[in-house]
Amino acid sequence: SLETHLLIKGSFSGIFPIGNNILILQHNREAQQTILSLRKLDGQITSEAVIEDLCFFRAEIDPQHLLLNCEQESLILSVEDLTIETFDKPTSLFSPSPDRRFFLVLLREKGVKLCEDALENCKGISLEATPSEFLWLPDSSGFLYRTPTSLYHFNLVNETSQFLISSDLFGDYRNLNASWISID
């Protein structure tokens, strides 16, 4: 119809398409609040919620759940009814496996969790060093993790890490075009 509709009046911190709706995050910095509103495309509000903390979008867990990072904790937001549940401490890294069965979560306090079922079932895993990045294998059987100076392979079946390579380039790898690593 080439018509425009005002959806949000004022500033907002994030806007995310959710099915036929739009989720909007707005911050009230004076009150230290995050206001969530789910709106139809015509701007009509279908539901709202307020979090008593400043929170930001971190990742999409699945089409119905989002992970939010707040100052002191991370939250799981159900976008269907804007219900919120506490997940854990704030997250630094979040990486879903290619088949979306597993999720790797690095907490700011340096703990790594391997989770399943939309983050409902989690367990801590032990890695050789604090990762800077996760890269899942295409079959979701394990992942590579990069530290500032080393690269490791983690096997999900036996839950062990294998050292692959060490290089000072991993700290600043912007000019590194490619690396082929065979883990067989």
Side-chain angles (χ1 to χ4, degrees), residues 132 146-149 167-177:
S132 303
R146 178 180 63 82
T147 69
T149 59
S167 171
D168 291 336
L169 293 175
F170 289 132
D172 181 12
Y173 64 99
R174 291 173 290 189
N175 295 319
L176 183 65
N177 289 331

Side-chain angles (χ1 to χ4, degrees), residues 99-167:
D99 63 6
R100 305 291 290 190
R101 217 178 115 216
F102 300 105
F103 302 89
L104 287 168
V105 181
L106 173 64
L107 302 174
R108 279 192 199 155
E109 295 183 0
K110 308 300 181 208
V112 178
K113 288 187 171 193
L114 177 65
C115 302
E116 296 181 76
D117 306 319
L119 304 185
E120 289 182 19
N121 297 316
C122 296
K123 65 179 178 179
I125 59 173
S126 180
L127 301 179
E128 297 300 318
T130 302
S132 303
E133 180 180 22
F134 295 115
L135 179 63
W136 282 92
L137 299 179
D139 64 357
S140 301
S141 65
F143 56 90
L144 302 177
Y145 62 98
R146 178 180 63 82
T147 69
T149 59
S150 301
L151 186 66
Y152 296 88
H153 168 253
F154 187 87
N155 184 318
L156 284 181
V157 174
N158 57 19
E159 295 189 6
T160 58
S161 290
Q162 176 187 2
F163 171 77
L164 297 177
I165 190 171
S166 179
S167 171

Side-chain angles (χ1 to χ4, degrees), residues 15-177:
I15 183 167
F16 310 96
I18 305 293
N20 292 329
N21 296 315
I22 296 173
L23 175 68
I24 298 154
L25 272 71
Q26 295 176 293
H27 289 131
N28 180 339
R29 294 200 184 276
E30 288 99 32
Q32 295 291 297
Q33 294 177 327
T34 302
I35 298 104
L36 307 167
S37 62
L38 196 60
R39 300 178 188 215
K40 293 183 179 181
L41 294 178
D42 64 4
Q44 178 186 347
I45 297 174
T46 59
S47 58
E48 285 187 304
V50 176
I51 302 171
E52 297 297 328
D53 199 354
L54 293 177
C55 303
F56 298 89
F57 171 80
R58 182 69 184 107
E60 179 182 287
I61 300 166
D62 60 39
Q64 295 302 313
H65 298 93
L66 302 179
L67 182 65
L68 302 177
N69 252 3
C70 304
E71 295 291 322
Q72 301 299 318
E73 62 188 355
S74 56
L75 305 172
I76 297 174
L77 171 68
S78 173
V79 296
E80 183 178 331
D81 54 4
L82 296 186
T83 56
I84 300 161
E85 67 179 83
T86 301
F87 172 63
D88 208 313
K89 300 288 184 193
T91 61
S92 296
L93 293 175
F94 180 84
S95 181
S97 64
D99 63 6
R100 305 291 290 190
R101 217 178 115 216
F102 300 105
F103 302 89
L104 287 168
V105 181
L106 173 64
L107 302 174
R108 279 192 199 155
E109 295 183 0
K110 308 300 181 208
V112 178
K113 288 187 171 193
L114 177 65
C115 302
E116 296 181 76
D117 306 319
L119 304 185
E120 289 182 19
N121 297 316
C122 296
K123 65 179 178 179
I125 59 173
S126 180
L127 301 179
E128 297 300 318
T130 302
S132 303
E133 180 180 22
F134 295 115
L135 179 63
W136 282 92
L137 299 179
D139 64 357
S140 301
S141 65
F143 56 90
L144 302 177
Y145 62 98
R146 178 180 63 82
T147 69
T149 59
S150 301
L151 186 66
Y152 296 88
H153 168 253
F154 187 87
N155 184 318
L156 284 181
V157 174
N158 57 19
E159 295 189 6
T160 58
S161 290
Q162 176 187 2
F163 171 77
L164 297 177
I165 190 171
S166 179
S167 171
D168 291 336
L169 293 175
F170 289 132
D172 181 12
Y173 64 99
R174 291 173 290 189
N175 295 319
L176 183 65
N177 289 331

